[in-house]
Amino acid sequence: VQLQASGGGLVQPGESLRLSCAASGSIFSVNHMAWFRQAPGKQRDVVATITPRGTTTYVDSVKGRFTISRAISRDSAENTVYLEMNKLKPGDTAVYYCNALIPSVRATWGQGTQVTVSS
């Protein structure tokens, strides 16, 4: 299973983007999901997390600007995770990935989606 993020692009500082990630399989619907990002030369870090019930956490650098959300199908077979990113800064430039938060239930990392914030 591979999760593919989409919605990235090149934007100017202050603009917005909305990332999406579709995860098939009930294992993702019943687990914490997260958005991660990896800037050039740096490790992949968690940006935001969301529980199955919708409780969210954010790293300090994106609090107040990013919003994570998720939609779970009625049969729990489909799980879509979103990341609404507002007031983007050059420091947000990275490849963004979604996956389960807990390593033991993670899918294979996809290619991610590139977000570039530049004037």
Side-chain angles (χ1 to χ4, degrees):
V1 177
Q2 190 176 82
L3 304 184
Q4 186 56 50
S6 61
L10 171 62
V11 296
Q12 295 188 347
E15 293 187 338
S16 301
L17 282 172
R18 189 186 194 215
L19 307 183
S20 299
C21 173
S24 296
S26 59
I27 191 171
F28 299 110
S29 299
V30 300
N31 274 280
H32 292 50
M33 295 294 291
W35 281 96
F36 304 77
R37 67 185 180 187
Q38 186 169 20
K42 296 187 177 181
Q43 67 180 17
R44 185 182 291 140
D45 290 325
V46 175
V47 175
T49 71
I50 187 166
T51 70
R53 295 195 176 205
T55 302
T56 59
T57 66
Y58 302 90
V59 294
D60 287 345
S61 61
V62 307
K63 282 181 180 177
R65 300 188 299 119
F66 289 15
T67 302
I68 186 172
S69 61
R70 69 193 294 176
I72 301 175
S73 64
R74 183 168 293 184
D75 61 359
S76 298
E78 299 294 329
N79 175 48
T80 305
V81 186
Y82 304 95
L83 186 67
E84 183 77 31
M85 305 185 297
N86 299 313
K87 300 178 182 178
L88 283 161
K89 303 176 180 180
D92 297 319
T93 295
V95 179
Y96 285 71
Y97 305 85
C98 77
N99 214 325
L101 179 63
I102 301 173
S104 62
V105 299
R106 279 184 192 156
T108 303
W109 292 100
Q111 292 185 345
T113 187
Q114 176 70 47
V115 172
T116 303
V117 185
S118 176
S119 55

